[in-house]
Amino acid sequence: MTTTVVGGADAPPSRRVELDVSGMTCAACAARVESRLNKVDGVRASVNYATRVATVDAPGVVATDDLCEVVRRAGYEADLRAAGRDDRPDPDDAVARSLLRRLAVAAVLFVPLSHLSVMVAVLPGTRFPGWQWVLTALALPIVGWAAWPFHRVAVRNARHGTASMETLISVGITAATLWSLYTIFAVRRDQPTTGVWQALMSSDAIYLEVAAGVTVFVLAGRYFEARAKSKAGSALRELAALSAKNVAVLLADGSEMVIPAEELKEQQRFVVRPGETVAADGLVVDGSAAVDMSAMTGESKPARVQPGASVIGGTVVLDGRLIVEAAAVGADTHFAGMVRLVEEAQAQKADAQRLADRISRVFVPVVFVIALLTAAGWLLAGAGADRAFSAALAVLVIACPCALGLATPTAMMVASGRGAQLGIFLKGYRALEAIRAIDTVVFDKTGTLTTGHLAVTAVTAVEGWESDELLAVAAAVESGSEHAIGTAILSATDERVPVEDFRAIPGRGVTGTVVGRAVEVGRPAWVGRDKTIPESVGSARRDAESLGQTVVLVAVDGAVRGAIAVADAVKSSAAEAVAELHRRGMRTVLLTGDNATAAAEVAAQVGIDEVIAEVLPEGKVDVIEQLRARNRVVAMVGDGINDGPALASADLGLAIGRGTDVAIAAADVILVRDDLRSVPQALDLARATMRTIRMNLVWAFGYNVAAIPIAAAGMLNPLIAGAAMAFSSFFVVSNSLRLRKAGGVDPAPKGI
């Protein structure tokens, strides 16, 4: 996609180009592409690893094909990004499915290969005719086809003079395989061995089970990483799916023509009917309707719009027919801005490299240098070429990060299982790096602290009337209405009385005849327009409205008989959850698009420290950034579409499982149960998970560092190497299994 970029008076003509980049496997790849593009004269580029999009500001003299060629020379593929809606399949999901197929084949073949390889290496007497070919047939599909993703990246790195952990994995697998094949087919043991120790120390150098094991474990890590990334990236796809697909444009002769929403232009007028999504930001020129704004603004009550009112794209018309004049279309809409906010927030997280990637920049070249020095040292010491080569290969093999491949996925798998028991789902580990420092928890209001549905909070009846009687009469009339307030009143009583002569007056209320009595239920100004309002009813109305609640009056036979207050009810678990967070020394904030009065009342009920109300989605992101600028580490809890950007931009995002798909996709942690007590539990589980991952990584790298000198000294044989690697993996798995008891609610925070 190409757009014009307006510069200063002296700036050369330029344009903005968006390129789809494929082949990137980590944030380091994105940085490499970005660096290559920025070396072109006059070009400024930013590469988003999360979305695989390169945004390039390029002079007019630089062709798009030239930019794509720069990316290709860096070892990746690039094409001009198509304008409009992206309906392509998720690339991360495709990668995950490919890795799963390779992992399944490798795991099935690894079991017999590992047993047979160790047996024939230690006990030559067990060798049967054709054993060499059996081992080769079991190993080659694993170290060749299954490990191909690592080989492909290693070859690409070699072409461009770089190295990564994939380089070490590929070289280690290849070296172990080639040396094993040499040992199998070219080396014959002349002297039989006696005794267990002699058999162990003099076993043949068959490393096939090591090469296969590295492949299996690292593939498992890559698969779970790809699945987590696919889920994280789905926020953008979910947002795009929620936008209007088509729009009915109003022509000059009064007729309508349906066109794709992306073809809508500014100042064009379009029609929106009940149940349809508003296609663009605009101004209502005709019609009246209730519009559900909750997904975009957080306002719990539908807004009644009239001619002259503004509407936001992505909101839903509940009743009535609107004619809207488009004021902002395409990338300029409020909805498109939300998409960009989520995209930018996810890209910011992707820029945090994995610990393994950062260490590999030094670790990989150092291992290769040590292997070369080992070979040279043995040759200078008078050892044969076989001995020198064997020691050098042992260094490469033992340096292969087998345990590293298990460090993160095993912890995440165990934590996911424990989370399932607690109603908590951890989607990935990158954002969890900040969990140990979380000191501020920000809550959305509607649907998070509250139920998200209106409910009757109080019924006030005049003398001579019972509250239940008044509620039953009001419910009888409201049974014919589809309004949210009517639904709340109807749900508050089990009594069902038939209504006759039902009539709905849009924006005012409903009327009907109940058991021969004329009943009106609706706005106080409408119901009480020509009636005297009793003092008790007026006082109850003022009290309820001061708390941000909505009040309707009930009139029977021309006289006001009472008032019914409705509000978005606070969840029963909210106060306890907030108290648990306070006991952990955390500050709590209520951040909502709803009005300040309603927000303050909810905050007072649950004990929240600070209230920030009447904030739009982009404003929520600004608030999060302001808190972080004050050196606060922020966790965000939300459930709506409007919460997606804030959930993605916070240090840790927690989504209520009953919330929108966008919120769930943008968050790092999903609370499956609609119980806010899961929030402190999730933070405890996340802390424990991150602590376990760090311990696993330290052990994995520590094992490699400690084992390399042993291998260089020639003291390593295949069985001992296999046993050591198995022990390292066993430690990682055992440490991860401790998470099965994590996540309990404790009175005090635990450090990491």
Side-chain angles (χ1 to χ4, degrees):
M1 183 169 63
T2 303
T3 57
T4 302
V5 178
V6 180
D10 300 327
S14 64
R15 71 196 194 285
R16 174 159 294 175
V17 179
E18 291 186 347
L19 304 176
D20 285 319
V21 182
S22 58
M24 296 188 297
T25 59
C26 63
C29 298
R32 188 178 304 159
V33 174
E34 185 174 300
S35 176
R36 294 295 181 91
L37 287 171
N38 283 322
K39 290 180 179 179
V40 180
D41 290 339
V43 169
R44 295 181 301 168
S46 175
V47 180
N48 186 327
Y49 172 57
T51 60
R52 294 181 172 85
V53 174
T55 303
V56 185
D57 290 342
V61 296
V62 180
T64 302
D65 289 343
D66 295 335
L67 296 173
C68 294
E69 183 59 28
V70 171
V71 177
R72 294 187 185 101
R73 288 200 299 269
Y76 308 90
E77 294 295 325
D79 296 289
L80 183 65
R81 184 174 179 83
R85 191 175 293 107
D86 190 357
D87 295 325
R88 295 171 301 172
D90 177 16
D92 291 308
D93 183 66
V95 170
R97 284 187 278 108
S98 175
L99 289 173
L100 181 60
R101 288 193 295 270
R102 298 177 188 275
L103 176 60
V105 172
V108 169
L109 296 177
F110 173 67
V111 175
L113 175 64
S114 60
H115 288 82
L116 189 59
S117 180
V118 173
M119 182 181 69
V120 300
V122 178
L123 303 172
T126 62
R127 297 174 180 178
F128 51 88
W131 65 273
Q132 305 98 320
W133 299 104
V134 173
L135 286 181
T136 303
L138 291 171
L140 288 183
I142 303 176
V143 301
W145 178 77
W148 176 243
F150 313 129
H151 300 321
R152 182 177 62 242
V153 175
V155 171
R156 184 178 65 201
N157 289 340
R159 286 203 308 264
H160 297 87
T162 60
S164 65
M165 193 59 68
E166 279 83 359
T167 303
L168 183 57
I169 294 170
S170 176
V171 173
I173 292 172
T174 303
T177 302
L178 293 177
W179 189 247
S180 297
L181 293 176
Y182 169 76
T183 302
I184 289 173
F185 290 101
V187 177
R188 297 289 185 268
R189 184 182 296 181
D190 298 326
Q191 299 294 329
T193 59
T194 58
V196 176
W197 181 249
Q198 187 180 0
L200 293 176
M201 295 305 296
S202 61
S203 59
D204 285 337
I206 301 176
Y207 287 91
L208 289 177
E209 82 284 354
V210 176
V214 169
T215 302
V216 170
F217 294 136
V218 179
L219 272 177
R222 294 292 193 270
Y223 166 72
F224 288 107
E225 181 181 349
R227 291 300 301 170
K229 189 171 180 292
S230 174
K231 292 181 179 293
S234 65
L236 302 176
R237 295 184 295 276
E238 296 291 351
L239 273 173
L242 291 168
S243 62
K245 307 299 187 293
N246 299 297
V247 59
V249 177
L250 194 65
L251 302 180
D253 60 0
S255 62
E256 300 177 14
M257 183 175 68
V258 178
I259 63 173
E262 58 263 25
E263 295 181 8
L264 183 68
K265 299 179 177 61
E266 292 184 8
Q267 297 184 345
Q268 277 190 308
R269 295 186 175 185
F270 59 94
V271 180
V272 192
R273 292 180 171 81
E276 294 182 349
T277 300
V278 180
D281 300 350
L283 193 70
V284 178
V285 296
D286 188 43
S288 173
V291 180
D292 183 1
M293 309 279 288
S294 60
M296 301 297 295
T297 67
E299 177 66 46
S300 56
K301 293 184 294 183
R304 176 66 57 175
V305 297
Q306 308 284 348
S310 298
V311 290
I312 301 173
T315 57
V316 179
V317 173
L318 301 179
D319 59 27
R321 175 180 179 270
L322 298 178
I323 297 177
V324 181
E325 182 175 298
V329 298
D332 298 326
T333 64
H334 185 83
F335 188 88
M338 288 183 61
V339 174
R340 287 193 296 272
L341 287 170
V342 175
E343 183 178 275
E344 291 167 2
Q346 289 188 342
Q348 187 178 20
K349 286 184 178 181
D351 289 338
Q353 292 264 358
R354 293 175 297 153
L355 179 61
D357 288 333
R358 295 197 295 266
I359 295 178
S360 68
R361 296 177 184 176
V362 178
F363 184 72
V364 174
V366 168
V367 168
F368 285 128
V369 170
I370 294 175
L372 291 174
L373 292 176
T374 298
W378 279 100
L379 290 173
L380 292 173
D386 289 349
R387 182 63 170 161
F389 192 53
S390 178
L393 287 178
V395 170
L396 292 176
V397 171
I398 203 63
C400 252
C402 182
L404 183 64
L406 287 171
T408 296
T410 55
M412 291 301 302
M413 283 189 292
V414 178
S416 297
R418 175 57 175 163
Q421 297 175 336
L422 301 173
I424 300 164
F425 177 48
L426 303 177
K427 291 172 57 178
Y429 68 91
R430 293 180 183 174
L432 302 185
E433 292 180 356
I435 189 62
R436 68 191 185 280
I438 292 289
D439 56 18
T440 303
V441 181
V442 178
F443 290 92
D444 172 56
K445 183 181 79 71
T446 305
T448 301
L449 288 174
T450 67
T451 62
H453 303 287
L454 294 177
V456 174
T457 57
V459 180
T460 303
V462 300
E463 186 176 354
W465 281 76
E466 298 292 333
S467 297
D468 293 343
E469 183 185 6
L470 184 76
L471 193 61
V473 170
V477 180
E478 292 287 4
S479 64
S481 172
E482 296 180 352
H483 196 279
I485 294 177
T487 302
I489 294 174
L490 198 62
S491 301
T493 178
D494 294 328
E495 292 192 40
R496 296 292 182 264
V497 183
V499 61
E500 299 175 352
D501 303 325
F502 171 81
R503 231 174 18 111
I505 294 87
R508 293 176 173 82
V510 293
T511 66
T513 303
V514 181
V515 196
R517 311 179 77 174
V519 180
E520 294 179 331
V521 183
R523 291 179 177 270
W526 177 70
V527 175
R529 61 193 181 280
D530 54 0
K531 307 176 184 69
T532 301
I533 299 177
E535 177 58 30
S536 60
V537 175
S539 177
R541 173 193 173 185
R542 290 189 294 272
D543 291 343
E545 290 180 343
S546 69
L547 299 177
Q549 299 177 1
T550 300
V551 177
V552 296
L553 299 186
V554 181
V556 181
D557 293 334
V560 176
R561 304 299 186 183
I564 300 174
V566 298
D568 192 3
V570 175
K571 293 179 181 177
S572 59
S573 60
E576 185 176 346
V578 171
E580 288 287 348
L581 295 173
H582 287 164
R583 280 195 284 271
R584 285 160 171 74
M586 297 181 184
R587 181 172 180 79
T588 53
V589 179
L590 175 57
L591 180 60
T592 180
D594 212 343
N595 67 82
T597 303
E601 172 61 18
V602 170
Q605 290 186 49
V606 302
I608 284 184
D609 300 317
E610 182 181 355
V611 178
I612 305 174
E614 301 178 14
V615 181
L616 294 177
E618 58 268 30
K620 289 188 176 184
V621 175
D622 292 339
V623 171
I624 297 292
E625 293 302 325
Q626 291 169 12
L627 289 171
R628 296 171 72 180
R630 287 159 30 197
N631 296 320
R632 312 295 292 187
V633 184
V634 182
M636 172 74 189
V637 187
D639 76 313
I641 298 173
N642 61 303
D643 299 322
L647 287 167
S649 63
D651 295 291
L652 185 74
L654 300 96
I656 305 297
R658 59 172 291 277
T660 65
D661 291 340
V662 172
I664 292 173
D668 308 297
V669 179
I670 299 171
L671 308 178
V672 179
R673 295 183 291 125
D674 195 13
D675 187 338
L676 288 176
R677 289 172 295 186
S678 296
V679 172
Q681 285 184 316
L683 294 177
D684 288 345
L685 180 60
R687 272 197 188 90
T689 302
M690 196 61 211
R691 181 170 59 246
T692 301
I693 290 173
R694 288 180 177 274
M695 290 176 62
N696 288 347
L697 290 173
V698 168
W699 170 263
F701 277 113
Y703 157 78
N704 292 118
V705 172
I708 286 174
I710 300 174
M715 301 171 60
L716 193 68
N717 66 62
L719 186 64
I720 296 176
M725 191 166 291
F727 175 77
S728 178
S729 301
F730 174 78
F731 176 88
V732 168
V733 173
S734 299
N735 189 48
S736 299
L737 288 174
R738 296 190 301 119
L739 289 170
R740 291 182 297 180
K741 299 181 179 180
V745 177
D746 302 318
K750 296 180 179 180
I752 188 170

